[in-house]
Amino acid sequence: MNLRTFLLGTCSAVALAGLAQAETLTIATVNNADMIRMQKLTDDFTSKNPDITLEWVTLEENVLRQRVTTDIATKGGQYDIMTIGTYEVPIWAKQGWLVPLDNLGADYDVDDLLPAIRSGLTIDDKLYAAPFYGESSMVMYRKDLFEKAGLTMPDAPTWDFIADAARKITDKDGEIYGICLRGKAGWGENMAFLTATANAFGARWFDENWKPQFDQPEWKNALDFYVKLMNDAGPPGASSNGFNENLSLFQTGKCGMWIDATVAASFVTNPKESTVADKVGFALAPDTGLGKRGNWLWAWTLAIPAGSQKVEAAEKFISWATGKDYLKLVADKEGWANVPPGTRTSLYANAEYQKAAPFAKMTLDSINAADPKNPSVKPVPYVGVQFVAIPEFQGLGTAVGQQFAAALAGQMSVDDALASAQKLTEREMTKAGYIK
């Protein structure tokens, strides 16, 4: 063997050894804009961690929830990191399905996480998921349309004001709809919005004995109000619209108001993405005067499924994606207004962020105002504002959401939708042992 052959062979062996040691992390995530941006910025992570490669599985919200739930419940092992929400984290942690995040690094600063967001991801003083962004809900509205109609948006509007304003600024011939609200069926789509809204009307999913409450007048008032408002002032095909569809409608100037996640504020005010970027104002989620606003509390988080063989590499990635340096990276690339919001106290103390993000204070106020332990006017046996934190809710919420989407689409009456919701919820809760 000559020297050249020996050296080539040695180099090949070293290269193969390096490849063998490299780890590939498969990351399941949602197709929201902040997550898409993260994928585009991951060269920063891989350049610092050349022994780790990333493989992305990016899915629509309802599909993501179904896939990751099936995978973790069956111990499928398809994903090394999962994007999950505030609903799943405590339930899955108690099932032993998640790895506690004990090694995010000395400079991660867990104590900087907003208390309202962190508490929902912590069980027995252990953090089981790291928040990529946190959110509540609020009103986003077109200031120009309000001025044209002679209207002034209060900082804390009522639902009656919102409904009246929506009808006044609607111009269907000009394809401008007074209000865009979620209609797509799903426990995290239309039912997130409708559950939070129903809280403000005094409705609740269950009474203190876990008896479903869809046969009560509060739910009738809430669903009637929503369907009539959307028929009068909403876009056509609203029963197919979720977060992303309404975002697109608002950004293209077709919505006068949109009540949805506070995270959308940076998207609708970004002139690169929104045709109405300089015309947007913000207000708190509406109430009905009963003491509760329809503002929810949520975080999209990164978590590691139990049994993973790549915990160390996964924690490195999660630390990078949810740490302070990532916020600065986004600020350097896209501007401070576009950093993932709602996770860190230090962000809201940052003067540059306050200056760049006119929605910062309203977002923080909305997050802090949400009360998952007392979400409705009447007492409830569950925790959660726009969801009920029990394992059965994922299936129940989607099933009820299908009835309510059908009512919005005119395929059944509000009364029939509520009766069907009551029947199916009673059946499932009895089967699960909540109702004796």
Side-chain angles (χ1 to χ4, degrees):
M1 180 186 293
N2 60 35
L3 180 61
R4 182 173 181 275
T5 303
F6 173 77
L7 289 174
L8 285 172
T10 302
C11 289
S12 298
V14 170
L16 286 170
L19 286 173
Q21 292 172 3
E23 287 191 289
T24 299
L25 294 175
T26 302
I27 306 169
T29 195
V30 66
N31 64 343
N32 289 352
D34 276 311
M35 305 303 191
I36 301 297
R37 182 182 289 127
M38 174 175 63
Q39 293 175 45
K40 293 177 180 177
L41 295 176
T42 49
D43 283 351
D44 180 79
F45 173 78
T46 53
S47 67
K48 296 170 183 173
N49 298 275
D51 57 333
I52 300 173
T53 58
L54 305 175
E55 183 177 281
W56 295 91
V57 179
T58 306
L59 302 165
E60 187 268 332
E61 189 169 316
N62 285 342
V63 178
L64 172 77
R65 289 185 164 122
Q66 184 181 41
R67 294 267 185 92
V68 297
T69 300
T70 299
D71 187 70
I72 202 162
T74 60
K75 300 180 181 177
Q78 291 184 62
Y79 312 114
D80 303 300
I81 297 173
M82 293 176 165
T83 302
I84 61 177
T86 307
Y87 165 72
E88 293 96 345
V89 175
I91 295 172
W92 291 8
K94 288 174 183 175
Q95 294 275 9
W97 291 353
L98 300 177
V99 175
L101 302 180
D102 295 329
N103 298 297
L104 293 174
D107 58 349
Y108 183 76
D109 196 1
V110 170
D111 291 335
D112 185 46
L113 298 176
L114 287 172
I117 297 297
R118 180 182 174 184
S119 65
L121 312 176
T122 303
I123 302 296
D124 297 331
D125 295 325
K126 286 184 178 291
L127 190 71
Y128 278 87
F132 183 71
Y133 68 75
E135 64 182 36
S136 185
S137 51
M138 66 181 177
V139 182
M140 293 161 275
Y141 69 97
R142 289 270 301 277
K143 292 186 289 187
D144 58 325
L145 296 181
F146 268 65
E147 185 177 350
K148 182 180 178 183
L151 297 167
T152 301
M153 174 69 80
D155 286 340
T158 64
W159 267 115
D160 283 342
F161 174 86
I162 293 293
D164 181 61
R167 291 180 171 99
K168 285 179 177 175
I169 62 178
T170 294
D171 176 10
K172 291 186 179 180
D173 290 338
E175 290 191 284
I176 295 176
Y177 305 97
I179 195 159
C180 292
L181 303 172
R182 296 189 190 193
K184 180 189 288 185
W187 72 265
E189 282 281 10
N190 66 337
M191 290 314 298
F193 173 79
L194 285 170
T195 299
T197 298
N199 290 336
F201 279 76
R204 50 187 177 165
W205 267 76
F206 305 103
D207 69 10
E208 299 95 315
N209 297 313
W210 292 102
K211 185 178 186 298
Q213 298 293 288
F214 296 108
D215 59 356
Q216 297 301 301
E218 293 89 352
W219 265 109
K220 164 79 169 169
N221 292 341
L223 193 59
D224 254 338
F225 182 92
Y226 163 78
V227 170
K228 287 175 182 174
L229 176 59
M230 292 299 286
N231 285 337
D232 290 348
S239 62
S240 299
N241 293 344
F243 174 86
N244 284 328
E245 292 81 8
N246 284 327
L247 170 62
S248 178
L249 285 168
F250 194 93
Q251 288 179 320
T252 53
K254 297 184 185 299
C255 297
M257 285 180 285
W258 180 30
I259 302 173
D260 212 298
T262 53
V263 70
S266 66
F267 310 148
V268 299
T269 56
N270 185 341
K272 294 179 181 177
E273 301 172 354
S274 174
T275 62
V276 296
D278 61 342
K279 300 177 176 68
V280 184
F282 305 96
L284 291 172
D287 69 3
T288 64
L290 297 178
K292 292 290 180 181
R293 294 196 171 273
N295 55 302
W296 64 62
L297 186 66
W298 183 257
W300 276 117
T301 75
L302 300 178
I304 305 170
S308 170
Q309 303 301 306
K310 303 174 184 178
V311 172
E312 184 178 350
E315 283 192 305
K316 282 183 181 179
F317 179 81
I318 290 173
S319 179
W320 172 82
T322 66
K324 293 179 182 179
D325 287 345
Y326 179 79
L327 300 182
K328 189 174 185 307
L329 175 66
V330 175
D332 290 343
K333 299 285 186 181
E334 305 280 350
W336 275 106
N338 295 304
V339 304
T343 62
R344 291 188 170 271
T345 300
S346 57
L347 177 64
Y348 291 90
N350 185 314
E352 290 179 272
Y353 183 65
Q354 292 172 3
K355 183 178 179 181
F359 46 82
K361 184 178 185 304
M362 191 67 71
T363 296
L364 186 60
D365 288 348
S366 298
I367 287 173
N368 288 335
D371 187 358
K373 293 182 180 178
N374 300 284
S376 191
V377 175
K378 296 178 181 178
V380 297
Y382 54 85
V383 172
V385 180
Q386 78 279 25
F387 58 81
V388 177
I390 58 174
E392 294 78 11
F393 183 75
Q394 187 163 346
L396 279 174
T398 297
V400 172
Q402 289 165 349
Q403 310 309 307
F404 291 176
L408 179 59
Q411 297 166 356
M412 66 167 64
S413 69
V414 165
D415 287 344
D416 286 345
L418 289 167
S420 180
Q422 180 72 12
K423 184 177 179 180
L424 71 87
T425 306
E426 280 184 353
R427 183 179 64 242
E428 293 304 315
M429 293 299 281
T430 301
K431 188 188 302 182
Y434 289 85
I435 302 173
K436 304 302 181 185

